[in-house]
Amino acid sequence: MTTLADLAARARSLVRDGHRAVLGITGSPGAGKSTLAEHLIRLLRQDQPALDWVAHVPMDGFHLADVELDRLGRRDRKGAPDTFDAAGYAALLRRLRADEDDVIYAPAFERDLEQPIAGSIPIPRTARLIVTEGNYLLLDQGDWARVRPQLDEVWYCDLDETERVRRLVARHEQFGKEHDAAVAWVMGTDQRNAILVSGTRPGADLVISDPTLRTLEA
C-alpha cells in the first residue's frame, strides 16, 4: 500500500529548479480524487506554511452551466465529456504551466448549486505545484486530448467498484437527490462515464490502489 507520505514525496519531486509543475489526479466518478487531492495538499502545505506554494484547481469548474446544457439538450447526462469546456480547461492548464502572471483565476464548482462559479480560485505566482483532478485527464478524444500534454504526471485512483458506487450514491443523496433517483443516475449517466474513464487507466503514471484510498477516506 502506498502511503500519503510516499505520494507527497513524489508530488514534491515534480517541482524541479523552481519551475512550476502540474499534477493530475484522475479516476472514475466517486473514486476518491477530490479526497486524495485535499489530503495531499494539506500535507504538502505543511512544508512551507507561510507560502502558498501548492494550489488546487479542480476540473469540475469547467462544467457547462445548466442553461447551456439545456440549450444543447445535454442536461440529462451532465458530467459526460461533452458537458464540459474541455478546451477552456486545457487553456487554463497551459497558462498555469507558462507561469507568466502574478495571479491566475480559476473557476470552481459549487455542489450546493450544481453550477460552475467563475473567478473563484486565485492561483498566486508563489504556487509551484498545481494539483488538478477530474474524470477526463487521460481522455484522448476531441479537446480533451489537449489536457494530458499540460500535466507532468497523472495518477489514477482505482477504488473497489462496489465501494465507489456506494460513495457516489451517498454523494448524490447528500446534495439533494432521493435514493431511487440517486441510484438511477449512478447506474446510468455516471456508470457510462465510469466505463469510459476506466479505459484511460493504462495511460496513468501511477495507479493508487483501493487500500490507500480507503485509508484516506477513513
Side-chain angles (χ1 to χ4, degrees), residues 26-30 33 59-66 68-70 72-86 109 111 114-116 133-137 139 141 144 164 168 171-172 177 185-186 188-197:
T26 194
S28 295
K33 302 179 293 295
M59 184 201 85
D60 277 356
F62 288 87
H63 268 281
L64 297 179
D66 284 352
E68 178 62 2
L69 294 177
D70 286 337
L72 294 169
R74 301 175 188 173
R75 190 168 175 181
D76 62 340
R77 51 193 181 83
K78 186 174 182 176
D82 64 349
T83 65
F84 289 84
D85 177 15
F109 187 73
R111 290 206 172 272
E114 286 288 303
Q115 294 295 293
E133 39 85 15
N135 295 343
Y136 305 120
L137 275 54
L139 196 63
Q141 302 173 5
W144 290 106
R164 185 187 69 78
L168 200 51
R171 181 200 299 173
H172 283 300
K177 282 187 172 67
W185 189 274
V186 167
T189 298
D190 281 343
Q191 187 60 21
R192 288 191 293 273
N193 298 335
I195 291 169
L196 180 64
V197 173

Side-chain angles (χ1 to χ4, degrees), residues 121-200:
I121 303 172
I123 299 103
R125 195 67 180 273
T126 53
R128 297 296 85 197
L129 177 65
I130 310 297
V131 179
T132 187
E133 39 85 15
N135 295 343
Y136 305 120
L137 275 54
L138 292 171
L139 196 63
D140 61 1
Q141 302 173 5
D143 291 328
W144 290 106
R146 306 183 194 180
V147 171
R148 180 61 185 92
Q150 307 305 323
L151 306 174
D152 292 85
E153 281 195 356
V154 179
W155 301 351
Y156 186 95
C157 295
D158 194 18
L159 186 66
D160 170 77
E161 186 69 3
T162 300
E163 177 65 8
R164 185 187 69 78
V165 168
R166 184 196 68 77
R167 291 185 187 182
L168 200 51
V169 169
R171 181 200 299 173
H172 283 300
E173 290 177 332
Q174 179 185 353
F175 289 102
K177 282 187 172 67
E178 296 295 331
H179 177 73
D180 288 349
V183 171
W185 189 274
V186 167
M187 301 313 296
T189 298
D190 281 343
Q191 187 60 21
R192 288 191 293 273
N193 298 335
I195 291 169
L196 180 64
V197 173
S198 66
T200 71

Side-chain angles (χ1 to χ4, degrees), residues 97-115:
R97 284 186 69 88
D99 194 16
E100 295 174 349
D101 301 294
D102 289 336
V103 62
I104 296 172
Y105 288 95
F109 187 73
E110 177 52 63
R111 290 206 172 272
D112 289 330
L113 300 174
E114 286 288 303
Q115 294 295 293

